[in-house]
Amino acid sequence: MNERNLKISIAHLYPKLLNLYGDLGNVITLKKRCEWRGIEVEFEEINIGDKIDNHDLYFIGGGQDKQQEEVAQELYSHKSELISQRDDGAVFLGICGGYQLFGHYYQPHDKDKLLGISLMDAYTVAGKNRFIGNVTVETDFLEPKTLVGFENHSGLTYLQGDTKPLGKTVVGNGNNGKDGFEGGRYKNVFGTYLHGSLLPKNPHFADYLISLALEKRYGEKIELTKLDDTFELAAHNSVIGKKY
Ligand code: GLN
């Protein structure tokens, strides 16, 4: 299928509240890597009070507990429609605070539990320490296998049931600093603690997500044209294995 006749619809959920450490860069990367291939991008920013239409890909960034609280109530009101989007094959990427809300709940320090939308079987509780620093993850589904980014969270996330991690933490703490894993995946729902932003330095993961979103829309696997990722992979390789 010629990429020039393809389209992908992307929704950015609550960017005015959850956009910590440049998480907006993930949406810019997805849009650019489509546009560079001639794939049309329909883009919608979803803010508090907006309805959420069907999209091929949904992105939500991270934020401090206060912003997370504001978004959690609103996101919860869309839980059933987003679960049916998940079951319809839509792609989701959540970073840190957004990732935490993909689970059943996030329990902050000395505050009420924030209910998540249960896109994945996971839960998060605030830990005593803050995990801050670079992270290198080894996956079993990407080429190159590694994902790199920056973590800054106190939340400890625990995966359950059929929810699998993105990979093993080679450097850094990841989900909870104990089980040696980072991130979560269930169906086409992906969550991670990796800020940075993540996708500019992990172009192979960006393309993986775009491919899944196109497959959801067109019902078949579509081979993406290879892009020149010299700079992106140089940035990727400059972080691998380094804590700071
Ligand atoms: N408030 C959450 C935590 O500290 C998420 C932080 C973030 O999104 N970086 O774990």
Side-chain angles (χ1 to χ4, degrees):
M1 203 182 257
N2 178 338
E3 286 163 321
R4 297 208 162 278
N5 308 323
L6 300 180
K7 188 190 291 191
I8 184 174
S9 69
I10 298 174
H12 189 171
L13 302 177
Y14 314 111
K16 291 188 172 58
L17 290 163
L18 294 183
N19 176 25
L20 211 52
Y21 313 122
D23 288 337
L24 178 65
N26 293 294
V27 171
I28 296 170
T29 301
L30 291 166
K31 286 161 82 173
K32 277 292 164 203
R33 295 186 74 82
C34 285
E35 286 162 14
W36 287 336
R37 293 178 167 107
I39 298 170
E40 188 189 337
V41 176
E42 270 176 4
F43 176 74
E44 188 180 12
E45 191 178 290
I46 306 288
N47 292 300
I48 298 289
D50 291 348
K51 66 181 179 51
I52 301 182
D53 293 328
N54 294 352
H55 289 276
D56 303 309
L57 193 152
Y58 298 85
F59 174 78
I60 185 167
Q64 303 298 346
D65 286 10
K66 186 175 172 323
Q67 287 78 12
Q68 236 180 322
E69 212 170 300
E70 231 182 299
V71 168
Q73 283 158 356
E74 176 82 5
L75 198 60
Y76 191 76
S77 71
H78 296 285
K79 176 176 175 180
S80 54
E81 58 208 272
L82 292 174
I83 285 181
S84 65
Q85 282 295 293
R86 174 203 66 187
D87 294 341
D88 203 28
V91 178
F92 290 79
L93 176 62
I95 308 288
C96 203
Y99 167 34
Q100 294 170 344
L101 295 177
F102 279 176
H104 303 308
Y105 62 84
Y106 167 54
Q107 176 62 65
H109 285 296
D110 57 36
K111 277 192 187 170
D112 293 344
K113 190 184 277 188
L114 301 183
L115 292 181
I117 53 174
S118 303
L119 292 182
M120 50 172 67
D121 188 358
Y123 65 93
T124 302
V125 289
K128 293 190 184 57
N129 311 310
R130 203 153 188 88
F131 293 153
I132 299 176
N134 288 332
V135 181
T136 301
V137 180
E138 186 165 311
T139 76
D140 62 5
F141 66 98
L142 291 173
E143 189 49 51
K145 291 187 178 310
T146 43
L147 281 172
V148 295
F150 182 88
E151 65 181 336
N152 182 335
H153 59 103
S154 67
L156 307 174
T157 296
Y158 299 93
L159 308 180
Q160 302 178 133
D162 295 334
T163 299
K164 301 291 173 242
L166 288 187
K168 292 193 191 84
T169 38
V170 176
V171 170
N173 297 283
N175 282 338
N176 50 52
K178 288 201 189 67
D179 65 13
F181 292 112
E182 156 53 21
R185 177 183 187 177
Y186 177 65
K187 296 189 175 178
N188 285 343
V189 179
F190 299 83
T192 178
Y193 277 112
L194 300 189
H195 289 287
S197 41
L198 171 71
L199 296 181
K201 284 196 290 292
N202 298 283
H204 47 311
F205 189 35
D207 287 353
Y208 185 82
L209 298 174
I210 292 169
S211 301
L212 287 175
L214 287 169
E215 186 176 349
K216 184 256 177 197
R217 189 181 184 102
Y218 294 102
E220 61 178 279
K221 274 194 185 315
I222 294 165
E223 195 66 35
L224 291 177
T225 310
K226 283 246 165 292
L227 297 175
D228 174 2
D229 287 332
T230 309
F231 292 118
E232 292 83 349
L233 291 174
H236 179 94
N237 297 334
S238 71
V239 183
I240 287 184
K242 290 184 189 138
K243 177 81 178 140
Y244 297 103

